[in-house]
Short mmCIF file of all heavy atoms in Angstrom, two decimals:
data_model
loop_
_atom_site.label_atom_id
_atom_site.label_comp_id
_atom_site.label_asym_id
_atom_site.label_seq_id
_atom_site.Cartn_x
_atom_site.Cartn_y
_atom_site.Cartn_z
N ALA A 11 0.81 -1.20 -0.01
CA ALA A 11 0.00 -0.01 -0.02
C ALA A 11 0.85 1.26 0.00
O ALA A 11 0.43 2.32 -0.47
CB ALA A 11 -0.92 0.00 1.22
N ALA A 12 2.07 1.13 0.52
CA ALA A 12 2.96 2.29 0.63
C ALA A 12 3.83 2.51 -0.63
O ALA A 12 4.50 3.50 -0.73
CB ALA A 12 3.88 2.13 1.83
N LEU A 13 3.79 1.56 -1.57
CA LEU A 13 4.62 1.65 -2.76
C LEU A 13 4.15 2.78 -3.67
O LEU A 13 2.97 2.88 -3.94
CB LEU A 13 4.65 0.35 -3.55
CG LEU A 13 5.25 -0.87 -2.81
CD1 LEU A 13 5.17 -2.09 -3.73
CD2 LEU A 13 6.68 -0.61 -2.42
N LYS A 14 5.08 3.60 -4.11
CA LYS A 14 4.74 4.72 -4.99
C LYS A 14 5.00 4.32 -6.44
O LYS A 14 5.85 4.85 -7.11
CB LYS A 14 5.58 5.93 -4.60
CG LYS A 14 5.30 6.39 -3.15
CD LYS A 14 6.17 7.55 -2.75
CE LYS A 14 5.90 7.99 -1.31
NZ LYS A 14 6.73 9.10 -0.86
N ILE A 15 4.23 3.32 -6.88
CA ILE A 15 4.48 2.76 -8.20
C ILE A 15 3.72 3.53 -9.30
O ILE A 15 4.09 3.47 -10.45
CB ILE A 15 4.09 1.25 -8.19
CG1 ILE A 15 4.46 0.56 -9.51
CG2 ILE A 15 2.58 1.10 -7.98
CD1 ILE A 15 5.91 0.38 -9.64
N ASP A 16 2.62 4.17 -8.95
CA ASP A 16 1.74 4.75 -9.96
C ASP A 16 2.31 6.11 -10.45
O ASP A 16 1.82 7.18 -10.12
CB ASP A 16 0.33 4.98 -9.38
CG ASP A 16 -0.30 3.65 -8.99
OD1 ASP A 16 -0.13 2.69 -9.76
OD2 ASP A 16 -0.97 3.61 -7.97
N ARG A 17 3.36 5.99 -11.23
CA ARG A 17 3.98 7.17 -11.79
C ARG A 17 3.38 7.46 -13.16
O ARG A 17 3.13 6.53 -13.96
CB ARG A 17 5.48 6.97 -11.92
CG ARG A 17 6.15 6.72 -10.55
CD ARG A 17 7.63 6.67 -10.76
NE ARG A 17 8.30 6.41 -9.48
CZ ARG A 17 9.62 6.50 -9.33
NH1 ARG A 17 10.40 6.79 -10.32
NH2 ARG A 17 10.15 6.26 -8.16
N HIS A 18 3.17 8.70 -13.44
CA HIS A 18 2.62 9.07 -14.73
C HIS A 18 3.72 9.65 -15.62
O HIS A 18 4.70 10.19 -15.11
CB HIS A 18 1.49 10.10 -14.56
CG HIS A 18 0.38 9.65 -13.69
ND1 HIS A 18 -0.56 8.71 -14.12
CD2 HIS A 18 0.06 9.93 -12.41
CE1 HIS A 18 -1.42 8.50 -13.14
NE2 HIS A 18 -1.06 9.21 -12.10
N ILE A 19 3.53 9.51 -16.91
CA ILE A 19 4.52 10.08 -17.86
C ILE A 19 4.57 11.58 -17.64
O ILE A 19 3.54 12.26 -17.66
CB ILE A 19 4.16 9.75 -19.28
CG1 ILE A 19 4.23 8.24 -19.51
CG2 ILE A 19 5.06 10.47 -20.28
CD1 ILE A 19 3.72 7.81 -20.87
N ARG A 20 5.74 12.09 -17.41
CA ARG A 20 5.87 13.51 -17.22
C ARG A 20 5.49 14.28 -18.46
O ARG A 20 5.86 13.87 -19.57
CB ARG A 20 7.30 13.87 -16.84
CG ARG A 20 7.71 13.43 -15.46
CD ARG A 20 9.12 13.90 -15.17
NE ARG A 20 9.48 13.71 -13.79
CZ ARG A 20 10.57 14.22 -13.25
NH1 ARG A 20 11.37 14.99 -13.98
NH2 ARG A 20 10.85 14.02 -11.98
N PRO A 21 4.78 15.39 -18.33
CA PRO A 21 4.45 16.17 -19.53
C PRO A 21 5.73 16.76 -20.11
O PRO A 21 6.46 17.47 -19.43
CB PRO A 21 3.49 17.24 -19.01
CG PRO A 21 3.78 17.34 -17.55
CD PRO A 21 4.20 15.94 -17.10
N ILE A 22 6.01 16.49 -21.36
CA ILE A 22 7.21 16.99 -22.05
C ILE A 22 6.73 17.94 -23.16
O ILE A 22 6.31 17.46 -24.21
CB ILE A 22 8.06 15.85 -22.61
CG1 ILE A 22 8.35 14.81 -21.53
CG2 ILE A 22 9.36 16.40 -23.20
CD1 ILE A 22 9.25 15.28 -20.42
N PRO A 23 6.78 19.22 -22.94
CA PRO A 23 6.22 20.15 -23.93
C PRO A 23 7.14 20.41 -25.11
O PRO A 23 6.76 21.10 -26.06
CB PRO A 23 6.01 21.42 -23.10
CG PRO A 23 7.11 21.35 -22.08
CD PRO A 23 7.26 19.92 -21.75
N TYR A 24 8.35 19.87 -25.07
CA TYR A 24 9.34 20.26 -26.05
C TYR A 24 9.20 19.58 -27.40
O TYR A 24 9.57 20.10 -28.44
CB TYR A 24 10.79 20.00 -25.54
CG TYR A 24 10.96 20.32 -24.08
CD1 TYR A 24 11.24 19.35 -23.15
CD2 TYR A 24 10.83 21.65 -23.64
CE1 TYR A 24 11.41 19.64 -21.80
CE2 TYR A 24 11.00 21.95 -22.30
CZ TYR A 24 11.28 20.94 -21.38
OH TYR A 24 11.46 21.25 -20.09
N LEU A 25 8.65 18.34 -27.39
CA LEU A 25 8.67 17.54 -28.61
C LEU A 25 7.31 17.58 -29.32
O LEU A 25 6.26 17.51 -28.70
CB LEU A 25 9.03 16.11 -28.28
CG LEU A 25 10.38 15.88 -27.60
CD1 LEU A 25 10.56 14.43 -27.29
CD2 LEU A 25 11.49 16.38 -28.47
N GLU A 26 7.37 17.60 -30.67
CA GLU A 26 6.18 17.55 -31.48
C GLU A 26 6.36 16.46 -32.51
O GLU A 26 7.45 16.30 -33.09
CB GLU A 26 5.89 18.86 -32.18
CG GLU A 26 5.60 20.01 -31.20
CD GLU A 26 5.27 21.31 -31.90
OE1 GLU A 26 5.16 21.24 -33.16
OE2 GLU A 26 5.17 22.34 -31.24
N LYS A 27 5.29 15.71 -32.79
CA LYS A 27 5.37 14.57 -33.69
C LYS A 27 5.75 15.02 -35.13
O LYS A 27 6.44 14.32 -35.84
CB LYS A 27 4.05 13.83 -33.74
CG LYS A 27 4.14 12.46 -34.43
CD LYS A 27 2.92 11.62 -34.17
CE LYS A 27 3.09 10.24 -34.76
NZ LYS A 27 1.94 9.37 -34.45
N SER A 28 5.31 16.20 -35.49
CA SER A 28 5.56 16.67 -36.85
C SER A 28 7.09 16.87 -37.10
O SER A 28 7.51 16.89 -38.25
CB SER A 28 4.84 17.99 -37.11
OG SER A 28 5.24 18.98 -36.17
N ASP A 29 7.84 16.99 -36.05
CA ASP A 29 9.27 17.22 -36.20
C ASP A 29 10.08 15.95 -36.18
O ASP A 29 11.32 15.97 -36.19
CB ASP A 29 9.79 18.12 -35.06
CG ASP A 29 9.13 19.50 -35.06
OD1 ASP A 29 8.82 20.00 -36.16
OD2 ASP A 29 8.96 20.06 -33.98
N SER A 30 9.38 14.77 -36.15
CA SER A 30 10.11 13.52 -35.90
C SER A 30 11.14 13.20 -36.98
O SER A 30 12.15 12.60 -36.66
CB SER A 30 9.10 12.35 -35.79
OG SER A 30 8.40 12.21 -37.01
N GLN A 31 10.91 13.60 -38.21
CA GLN A 31 11.87 13.30 -39.24
C GLN A 31 13.18 14.09 -39.12
O GLN A 31 14.20 13.74 -39.69
CB GLN A 31 11.26 13.56 -40.64
CG GLN A 31 10.04 12.65 -40.97
CD GLN A 31 10.44 11.19 -40.91
OE1 GLN A 31 11.49 10.79 -41.41
NE2 GLN A 31 9.60 10.37 -40.29
N LYS A 32 13.13 15.15 -38.35
CA LYS A 32 14.32 15.96 -38.15
C LYS A 32 15.13 15.53 -36.93
O LYS A 32 16.23 16.00 -36.71
CB LYS A 32 13.92 17.44 -37.92
CG LYS A 32 13.10 18.03 -39.05
CD LYS A 32 12.67 19.45 -38.72
CE LYS A 32 11.77 20.03 -39.76
NZ LYS A 32 11.29 21.38 -39.39
N LYS A 33 14.61 14.59 -36.20
CA LYS A 33 15.25 14.23 -34.93
C LYS A 33 16.41 13.27 -35.16
O LYS A 33 16.38 12.42 -36.02
CB LYS A 33 14.20 13.59 -33.99
CG LYS A 33 13.00 14.52 -33.76
CD LYS A 33 12.30 14.20 -32.51
CE LYS A 33 11.06 15.04 -32.34
NZ LYS A 33 11.18 16.44 -32.69
N LYS A 34 17.41 13.47 -34.34
CA LYS A 34 18.61 12.64 -34.42
C LYS A 34 18.37 11.29 -33.75
O LYS A 34 17.66 11.18 -32.76
CB LYS A 34 19.77 13.31 -33.73
CG LYS A 34 20.18 14.67 -34.35
CD LYS A 34 20.91 14.47 -35.66
CE LYS A 34 21.47 15.77 -36.19
NZ LYS A 34 22.15 15.59 -37.49
N ASP A 35 19.00 10.24 -34.31
CA ASP A 35 19.01 8.95 -33.62
C ASP A 35 19.71 9.11 -32.27
O ASP A 35 20.66 9.89 -32.14
CB ASP A 35 19.76 7.90 -34.46
CG ASP A 35 18.96 7.44 -35.66
OD1 ASP A 35 17.79 7.80 -35.77
OD2 ASP A 35 19.54 6.70 -36.48
N ILE A 36 19.23 8.34 -31.31
CA ILE A 36 19.87 8.30 -29.96
C ILE A 36 20.42 6.91 -29.74
O ILE A 36 19.65 5.93 -29.85
CB ILE A 36 18.87 8.68 -28.84
CG1 ILE A 36 18.24 10.05 -29.10
CG2 ILE A 36 19.54 8.62 -27.49
CD1 ILE A 36 17.10 10.36 -28.15
N VAL A 37 21.69 6.80 -29.47
CA VAL A 37 22.33 5.52 -29.18
C VAL A 37 22.96 5.59 -27.80
O VAL A 37 23.89 6.37 -27.59
CB VAL A 37 23.40 5.18 -30.24
CG1 VAL A 37 24.00 3.82 -29.95
CG2 VAL A 37 22.79 5.22 -31.65
N TRP A 38 22.45 4.83 -26.88
CA TRP A 38 22.99 4.80 -25.51
C TRP A 38 23.65 3.45 -25.31
O TRP A 38 22.98 2.42 -25.26
CB TRP A 38 21.88 5.00 -24.50
CG TRP A 38 22.38 5.36 -23.11
CD1 TRP A 38 23.40 4.78 -22.43
CD2 TRP A 38 21.80 6.39 -22.23
NE1 TRP A 38 23.55 5.36 -21.20
CE2 TRP A 38 22.59 6.34 -21.05
CE3 TRP A 38 20.80 7.29 -22.35
CZ2 TRP A 38 22.37 7.18 -19.97
CZ3 TRP A 38 20.55 8.12 -21.25
CH2 TRP A 38 21.31 8.07 -20.10
N ILE A 39 24.97 3.48 -25.16
CA ILE A 39 25.75 2.26 -24.91
C ILE A 39 26.12 2.23 -23.43
O ILE A 39 26.92 3.06 -22.98
CB ILE A 39 26.99 2.20 -25.80
CG1 ILE A 39 26.61 2.32 -27.28
CG2 ILE A 39 27.79 0.92 -25.52
CD1 ILE A 39 27.81 2.44 -28.20
N LEU A 40 25.53 1.33 -22.70
CA LEU A 40 25.78 1.24 -21.26
C LEU A 40 26.78 0.11 -20.99
O LEU A 40 26.53 -1.04 -21.32
CB LEU A 40 24.49 1.02 -20.48
CG LEU A 40 24.73 1.06 -18.97
CD1 LEU A 40 23.87 2.10 -18.31
CD2 LEU A 40 24.48 -0.29 -18.33
N MET A 41 27.91 0.47 -20.40
CA MET A 41 28.96 -0.48 -20.03
C MET A 41 28.80 -0.75 -18.51
O MET A 41 29.09 0.10 -17.70
CB MET A 41 30.33 0.08 -20.37
CG MET A 41 30.48 0.61 -21.77
SD MET A 41 30.45 -0.70 -23.02
CE MET A 41 32.11 -1.40 -22.76
N ASP A 42 28.39 -1.96 -18.19
CA ASP A 42 28.01 -2.27 -16.83
C ASP A 42 29.22 -2.17 -15.87
O ASP A 42 30.24 -2.82 -16.09
CB ASP A 42 27.43 -3.68 -16.78
CG ASP A 42 26.45 -3.88 -15.64
OD1 ASP A 42 26.80 -3.53 -14.49
OD2 ASP A 42 25.34 -4.36 -15.90
N GLU A 43 29.08 -1.36 -14.82
CA GLU A 43 30.06 -1.18 -13.76
C GLU A 43 31.35 -0.47 -14.24
O GLU A 43 32.39 -0.61 -13.68
CB GLU A 43 30.42 -2.53 -13.09
CG GLU A 43 30.92 -2.36 -11.67
CD GLU A 43 31.00 -3.67 -10.89
OE1 GLU A 43 31.02 -4.74 -11.52
OE2 GLU A 43 31.05 -3.59 -9.68
N TYR A 44 31.19 0.34 -15.30
CA TYR A 44 32.33 1.11 -15.81
C TYR A 44 32.43 2.39 -14.99
O TYR A 44 31.58 3.27 -15.06
CB TYR A 44 32.12 1.45 -17.29
CG TYR A 44 33.36 1.85 -18.04
CD1 TYR A 44 33.76 1.18 -19.19
CD2 TYR A 44 34.15 2.90 -17.65
CE1 TYR A 44 34.88 1.52 -19.93
CE2 TYR A 44 35.28 3.25 -18.33
CZ TYR A 44 35.62 2.58 -19.48
OH TYR A 44 36.77 2.93 -20.17
N GLY A 45 33.49 2.50 -14.18
CA GLY A 45 33.67 3.65 -13.32
C GLY A 45 34.21 4.87 -14.04
O GLY A 45 34.83 4.75 -15.10
N SER A 46 34.04 6.02 -13.46
CA SER A 46 34.56 7.26 -14.05
C SER A 46 36.09 7.22 -14.06
O SER A 46 36.74 6.49 -13.29
CB SER A 46 34.13 8.45 -13.19
OG SER A 46 34.83 8.48 -11.96
N SER A 47 36.67 7.95 -15.00
CA SER A 47 38.11 7.93 -15.15
C SER A 47 38.82 8.47 -13.93
O SER A 47 39.92 8.02 -13.58
CB SER A 47 38.51 8.74 -16.38
OG SER A 47 37.98 8.14 -17.57
N ILE A 48 38.20 9.39 -13.22
CA ILE A 48 38.77 9.94 -11.99
C ILE A 48 38.84 8.87 -10.93
O ILE A 48 39.87 8.71 -10.26
CB ILE A 48 37.96 11.16 -11.49
CG1 ILE A 48 38.08 12.32 -12.49
CG2 ILE A 48 38.44 11.58 -10.10
CD1 ILE A 48 37.23 13.53 -12.13
N SER A 49 37.77 8.09 -10.78
CA SER A 49 37.82 7.04 -9.78
C SER A 49 38.78 5.92 -10.16
O SER A 49 39.45 5.33 -9.29
CB SER A 49 36.40 6.43 -9.61
OG SER A 49 36.00 5.66 -10.72
N LEU A 50 38.92 5.62 -11.45
CA LEU A 50 39.87 4.62 -11.91
C LEU A 50 41.29 5.07 -11.61
O LEU A 50 42.15 4.26 -11.21
CB LEU A 50 39.73 4.35 -13.42
CG LEU A 50 38.41 3.73 -13.87
CD1 LEU A 50 38.39 3.61 -15.39
CD2 LEU A 50 38.21 2.36 -13.23
N LYS A 51 41.57 6.37 -11.76
CA LYS A 51 42.87 6.89 -11.48
C LYS A 51 43.20 6.84 -9.97
O LYS A 51 44.28 6.40 -9.57
CB LYS A 51 42.95 8.36 -11.96
CG LYS A 51 44.25 9.08 -11.56
CD LYS A 51 45.48 8.47 -12.17
CE LYS A 51 46.72 9.26 -11.77
NZ LYS A 51 47.96 8.61 -12.27
N ASN A 52 42.21 7.22 -9.16
CA ASN A 52 42.44 7.32 -7.72
C ASN A 52 42.42 5.97 -7.02
O ASN A 52 43.08 5.80 -6.00
CB ASN A 52 41.42 8.24 -7.08
CG ASN A 52 41.59 9.68 -7.52
OD1 ASN A 52 42.67 10.07 -7.97
ND2 ASN A 52 40.57 10.48 -7.38
N GLN A 53 41.65 5.00 -7.57
CA GLN A 53 41.51 3.73 -6.86
C GLN A 53 42.39 2.62 -7.48
O GLN A 53 42.82 1.71 -6.78
CB GLN A 53 40.04 3.26 -6.92
CG GLN A 53 39.12 4.17 -6.16
CD GLN A 53 37.76 3.54 -5.97
OE1 GLN A 53 37.42 3.03 -4.87
NE2 GLN A 53 36.94 3.49 -7.02
N PHE A 54 42.64 2.71 -8.80
CA PHE A 54 43.39 1.67 -9.48
C PHE A 54 44.71 2.18 -10.07
O PHE A 54 45.44 1.41 -10.68
CB PHE A 54 42.56 1.07 -10.61
CG PHE A 54 41.33 0.32 -10.18
CD1 PHE A 54 40.11 0.99 -10.00
CD2 PHE A 54 41.35 -1.04 -9.92
CE1 PHE A 54 38.97 0.30 -9.59
CE2 PHE A 54 40.25 -1.71 -9.51
CZ PHE A 54 39.04 -1.06 -9.35
N ASN A 55 44.95 3.48 -9.90
CA ASN A 55 46.15 4.09 -10.53
C ASN A 55 46.16 3.80 -12.04
O ASN A 55 47.20 3.50 -12.63
CB ASN A 55 47.43 3.56 -9.88
CG ASN A 55 48.62 4.43 -10.19
OD1 ASN A 55 48.49 5.63 -10.41
ND2 ASN A 55 49.81 3.83 -10.23
N PHE A 56 44.99 3.95 -12.67
CA PHE A 56 44.84 3.64 -14.08
C PHE A 56 44.43 4.89 -14.82
O PHE A 56 43.41 5.52 -14.52
CB PHE A 56 43.77 2.54 -14.27
CG PHE A 56 43.47 2.22 -15.71
CD1 PHE A 56 44.35 1.45 -16.44
CD2 PHE A 56 42.28 2.67 -16.29
CE1 PHE A 56 44.06 1.13 -17.78
CE2 PHE A 56 41.99 2.36 -17.61
CZ PHE A 56 42.89 1.61 -18.36
#
């Protein structure tokens, strides 16, 4: 009963369907457990 699962899509006023052909492809490559370069330098001397 306490779970806040009922989330609604946030209103995004910026995008319009008519502009879809002009939009750039989005490619998100996620590398699992890849740490920031600063942390790699400070923790692994890499």
Side-chain angles (χ1 to χ4, degrees):
L13 296 180
K14 300 177 180 179
I15 186 72
D16 297 320
R17 300 187 180 188
H18 302 286
I19 295 174
R20 288 185 171 191
I22 308 293
Y24 318 116
L25 301 178
E26 295 182 10
K27 192 167 185 177
S28 59
D29 298 328
S30 62
Q31 295 303 316
K32 302 176 185 178
K33 304 203 185 318
K34 298 286 187 182
D35 287 352
I36 303 171
V37 181
W38 194 316
I39 303 172
L40 186 123
M41 309 290 285
D42 208 309
E43 206 168 19
Y44 198 124
S46 72
S47 297
I48 293 175
S49 70
L50 295 177
K51 172 63 178 176
N52 292 341
Q53 295 192 104
F54 294 90
N55 196 29
F56 176 75

